[in-house]
Amino acid sequence: MSHPHPDLSAPAPLPAGGLRVIPLGGLGEVGRNMTVFEYDGRLLIVDCGVLFPEDHHPGVDLILPDFHPIRDRLDAVEALVLTHGHEDHIGATPYLLRERGDIPLVGSKLTLALLGSKLREHRLKETAQYEVAEGQTITFGPFVLEFVAVNHSIPDALAVVIRTGAGVVLHTGDFKMDQLPLDGRITDLNEFARLGDEGVDLFLTDSTNAEVPGFTTSEKDIAPVLDRVFAKSDQRIIVACFASHVHRVQQVLDAAVAHGRKVGYVGRSMVRNMAIAQDLGYLTVPPGVMVEAKELADLPPHKQVLISTGSQGEPMAALSRMSQNNHHFVQLQPGDTVVLASSLIPGNENAVYRVINGLARLGANVVHKGNSLVHVSGHASAGELLYCYNIVKPRNVMPVHGEIRHMLANAELARATGVENVVLAEDGVVVDLVDGVAKIVGKVDVGYVFVDGTTIGDISEASMKDRRILGEEGFLSVIVVVDSVTGKVVSGPEIHARGFAEDETTFDEVKQPIIDAINASIAEGATDSYQLQQTVRRVVGRWVNRAHRRRPMIIPVVIEA
Ligand SMILES: [Zn+2]
Ligand SMILES: [Zn+2]
């Protein structure tokens, strides 16, 4: 991972009365958000999310923040505050709770409900949970917390104010400033202004859309587009979106009702989350509109709407299976309409376009953000961020939640409004707020923690590199048997390849050079099989690079008989 602060060493102890900020994830990537605040020897964590792997993380299921810097201080954690229910903010919580099971969890009603179902899936006991709402104050050790309503692409999101002896911190969480949201719950700029008047010492702000000029389009602007799509379609409609995007699902339900269609959910997380959202009153389901997805097929196609998971091209999700014509009960028909009412998260492009191509090949009309306004972002654009800086008038700003380019753009916006001190930190870079000034004071070692099947953190960057080599270059094994007394090659070399040339005779030309090299090594006094294996690796590596322009993984095995 690139790092703008390569020269930093471990930070000195935190001065008395200072607040330390340790980002463990989310600064330098969109995902696995986790920030630790330290005051007077006590810790407060904001968010604990996952990052979804990209093409260059073959075989990886999830990527976690690195808990290592706080692992032996988990007893000092007062609470984990969850700003909202997105996976990049709550998804790693079960893994943290495996290390200390009784960390108090703090979040809004919907956030805790979504988290609860996740903890049950991981078979974790529900720990002490503190449900909070905007306007509420709650104290954990030296941290006095207050919550502020923010608008985002999931209901019930909160910004958090953290008051300590070091000053006032305002963390926006993920937010935007949609002025006409479906639920009427806007980002509370009154409260931002009041905090600004009181004095915000450190303002941590969502960088995701800092490069996007202007203002993020309102969620409501999607409604007329959906209406046109529904009006034009005379067959089945399938809409894919995030399984937590309650308001997007609401708009699809409303369009379905307006056009006399019935709706079924496809995908486990969609079924589960929408049941929670409906139970808690965040989703209004008009009577009679929902049908079990499997029974929907009994209706004529022009009466059917499916709301599905898989909008990011996830290979195991419903939409991807439909695009390959192997979903267990949804078979696409030519003329069906598929709407991807979703963002395109960086890194998922290939997977998403693979799905779109698969759907198009089956004859579906595919509507996506590239050809229609069927998605709006959940994050504040540059104009909204400028507003916030002018209202909050913070002393120090720390951009969070983004790749480095997003955080740099966000830093520029803060400076443009006159903020004098902007600290640009990536994962592991430690920031202290002392006497009202935030400064980078060092860094702690953090890396990617890969979840792979049942293992957590056992797969290293080195094995990830091996996987990439195997995936891109293939594999060669060379087996040679050497007589331990005479030092002569008595059998082999036997060369086997995978993901390389199919024709085994390809390797004939390198067999004699291998034997010659082994003989030469032994003549020079090489005795153990490790040295001989290195010899074989060198000869084969040079040959394959010269003759085939390839760098496969080479596994030499020299057996002494
Ligand atoms: Zn979010
Ligand atoms: Zn997020």
Side-chain angles (χ1 to χ4, degrees), residues 83-89 152-154 174-175 206 378-379 401:
T83 57
H84 63 285
H86 277 155
E87 285 297 316
D88 61 321
H89 296 259
H152 183 40
S153 45
I154 187 169
D174 292 5
F175 85 111
D206 176 359
H379 300 271
H401 202 284

Side-chain angles (χ1 to χ4, degrees), residues 222-279:
I222 296 174
V225 182
L226 282 178
D227 188 63
R228 276 199 299 280
V229 171
F230 275 65
K232 256 176 36 189
S233 168
D234 52 9
Q235 278 184 220
R236 181 165 50 182
I237 298 174
I238 297 161
V239 182
C241 69
F242 274 122
S244 58
H245 206 321
V246 177
H247 291 166
R248 194 65 48 82
V249 170
Q250 183 73 61
Q251 302 213 83
V252 177
L253 290 181
D254 295 346
V257 171
H259 292 269
R261 289 177 181 249
K262 304 276 185 200
V263 180
Y265 297 132
V266 190
R268 210 160 47 97
S269 55
M270 186 67 77
V271 173
R272 185 190 61 202
N273 290 353
M274 289 309 139
I276 292 171
Q278 187 180 351
D279 279 354

Side-chain angles (χ1 to χ4, degrees), residues 85-151:
H86 277 155
E87 285 297 316
D88 61 321
H89 296 259
I90 67 170
T93 306
Y95 300 93
L96 183 66
L97 293 180
R98 282 190 202 180
E99 304 204 15
R100 184 188 145 196
D102 61 348
I103 295 175
L105 306 173
V106 187
S108 68
K109 186 197 277 184
L110 181 63
T111 305
L112 290 182
L114 293 171
L115 179 68
S117 75
K118 181 175 291 297
L119 297 184
R120 281 189 294 280
E121 252 175 38
H122 281 253
R123 298 180 193 286
L124 285 161
K125 281 205 191 71
E126 295 205 19
T127 58
Q129 302 197 352
Y130 296 83
E131 187 185 307
V132 292
E134 48 268 35
Q136 267 180 269
T137 304
I138 187 168
T139 301
F140 291 94
F143 304 100
V144 181
L145 310 181
E146 182 194 322
F147 298 91
V148 186
V150 288
N151 166 246

